[in-house]
Amino acid sequence: MNSTVILKGNILYTPRPSEFISIPHGYIIAVDGVVVYCGESIPPAYAACEVTDYGDNLIIPGFVDTHAHAPQYCNRGLGMDKELLPWLETYTFPEEAKFSDPDYARLVYGAFVQDLWRNGTTRSILFGTIHKESTLVLMELLQKAGLSAYVGKVNMDRNSPEFLIEETQQSLIDTKEWVDASSQFGPLVKPIITPRFVPSCTSELMSGLGKLAEEYNVPIQSHLSENHGEINWVASLHPESPNYTDVYYEHRLMGQVPTVMAHCIHLSDVEIDRMAETQTMVSHCPYSNVNLSSGIAPIRKLMKRNIPIGLGSDISGGHIVSMAKVLTEAIGLSKMKWVEVDQTYAPLTLSEAFYMATKGGGKFFGKVGSFEKGCDLDALIIDDTSIFDPNERTLEERLERWLYVGDDRHIVERYVAGHIVPNPQG
């Protein structure tokens, strides 16, 4: 029997980066978790169905975080005066080593999943650690919470602390076993192949992971062009490759299956061509790029090349889980790019940043992040009445105000694929 959900409220979404659709006191109808109608009135065929009326609340798509490191959750706000490579050595690697203990993983990942839920992140693309048991714990907790995610067991077999370096073939064996075990988590929580980044993976490992991704039809995530020191390091490790991007491409880690690369700040025009050719998604992580002095990604330039772009919290290079705050930071950083670097890069508009935080990143999951027909019904119900303002505001103004000055306390309900997602901690 089909399950029909009808929501009523003030609806806002972005079918395109340049356009908000706002429907005062409108209706969203989903059947078996998929939107079949969004508009001003209920079609006659659904007139007898129960309606969940959210009154004057806002209804927006759930947020999508396209890049976060779940095991770094406890490191938020630490080492923010360091650049990328010293920060990894001082804070990140020692923390990730603790996830050899599945009990520690369950403690930290439980808090992390709770924070995703609290902030309205209904879908996410996550790094775990090299430890397959702990990575399965993260997937289990996400499944139990009713949230959707791609989760990666990280791979590292060189240029890392001894306590995190894997033997190459064992890394591939563990990854294959982990992918097989991931099938138990169903349609909302899936594996993603995760070479940490080129400096930490030998050619043998990268080639093996590329083959595994193709064999299982599993997507890929990694880091690309985040920091000048990292880029120079890659050039010294792979003098046979013309650039950082092509190291991934030559190892079949781009262009074969859906791929998302975090950061992409310092890409050359040739590398941008490769990203466009392979339709590799960029995860733009504004807080992290500021905190680690990495730079300002040329998002407007990438948009003009029709490269798919989502937004990432990059916990813990980024210190804030909330994608509402990540998207407003992306707008602010684009203004600095425009005024200080190159005035041909127009700043991001609110609709463009909101699109990236919803439908832009949601494309990695399929039809996600919008209320258009055929999209999964992921939604947040926002009660903004406690934000003082005696003036009448449009729905777009109310949304903008909440994004900038509101917080998770205003999110009164969360839906994933048509189902209410209750508080994971009860």
Side-chain angles (χ1 to χ4, degrees), residues 188-248:
L188 291 180
V189 180
K190 298 179 181 180
I192 184 167
I193 297 297
T194 307
R196 185 180 207 107
F197 65 159
V198 167
S200 68
C201 298
T202 62
S203 285
E204 182 183 358
L205 180 56
M206 286 190 284
S207 294
L209 292 172
K211 291 176 183 175
L212 199 59
E214 288 184 76
E215 177 187 348
Y216 280 84
N217 193 29
V218 172
I220 293 168
Q221 65 176 342
S222 195
H223 300 86
L224 174 61
S225 192
E226 180 177 1
N227 171 279
H228 287 298
E230 165 209 13
I231 294 165
N232 293 335
W233 192 11
V234 171
S236 70
L237 291 169
H238 291 274
E240 75 284 358
S241 297
N243 54 61
Y244 192 167
T245 302
D246 271 1
V247 177
Y248 287 117

Side-chain angles (χ1 to χ4, degrees), residues 216-383:
Y216 280 84
N217 193 29
V218 172
I220 293 168
Q221 65 176 342
S222 195
H223 300 86
L224 174 61
S225 192
E226 180 177 1
N227 171 279
H228 287 298
E230 165 209 13
I231 294 165
N232 293 335
W233 192 11
V234 171
S236 70
L237 291 169
H238 291 274
E240 75 284 358
S241 297
N243 54 61
Y244 192 167
T245 302
D246 271 1
V247 177
Y248 287 117
Y249 182 77
E250 291 161 0
H251 290 90
R252 301 182 70 81
L253 292 169
M254 286 176 60
Q256 312 304 317
V257 295
T259 301
V260 56
M261 290 287 175
H263 307 302
C264 302
I265 300 170
H266 306 290
L267 298 175
S268 65
D269 288 342
V270 170
E271 290 178 286
I272 291 173
D273 289 342
R274 183 71 79 193
M275 297 289 287
E277 169 201 335
T278 58
Q279 281 296 285
T280 297
M281 179 174 283
V282 171
S283 177
H284 176 40
C285 305
Y287 276 121
S288 175
N289 296 165
V290 169
N291 288 341
L292 299 179
S293 304
S294 296
I296 307 174
I299 296 303
R300 178 68 63 190
K301 186 175 184 179
L302 300 176
M303 289 173 67
K304 287 181 178 179
R305 293 301 310 277
N306 295 316
I307 293 168
I309 302 170
L311 296 179
S313 66
D314 194 19
I315 298 297
S316 67
H319 59 287
I320 293 178
V321 173
S322 167
M323 294 306 295
K325 303 312 179 194
V326 170
L327 83 84
T328 57
E329 179 73 358
I331 294 170
L333 198 55
S334 74
K335 292 175 180 178
M336 293 300 99
K337 183 80 167 178
W338 170 70
V339 75
E340 292 286 352
V341 181
D342 188 339
Q343 294 196 356
T344 63
Y345 292 120
L348 292 174
T349 64
L350 182 70
S351 65
E352 288 170 334
F354 188 82
Y355 177 91
M356 291 176 190
T358 54
K359 187 177 179 181
K363 286 183 176 180
F364 204 80
F365 291 81
K367 292 184 176 181
V368 167
S370 178
F371 297 140
E372 297 161 83
K373 185 176 181 179
C375 290
D376 287 0
L377 177 55
D378 292 5
L380 305 178
I381 313 301
I382 311 296
D383 180 357

Side-chain angles (χ1 to χ4, degrees), residues 126-143:
L126 306 174
F127 276 56
T129 62
I130 64 171
H131 313 100
K132 62 181 180 181
E133 293 84 1
S134 290
T135 305
L136 290 170
V137 168
L138 174 57
M139 299 177 86
E140 172 204 330
L141 292 172
L142 287 159
Q143 182 204 34

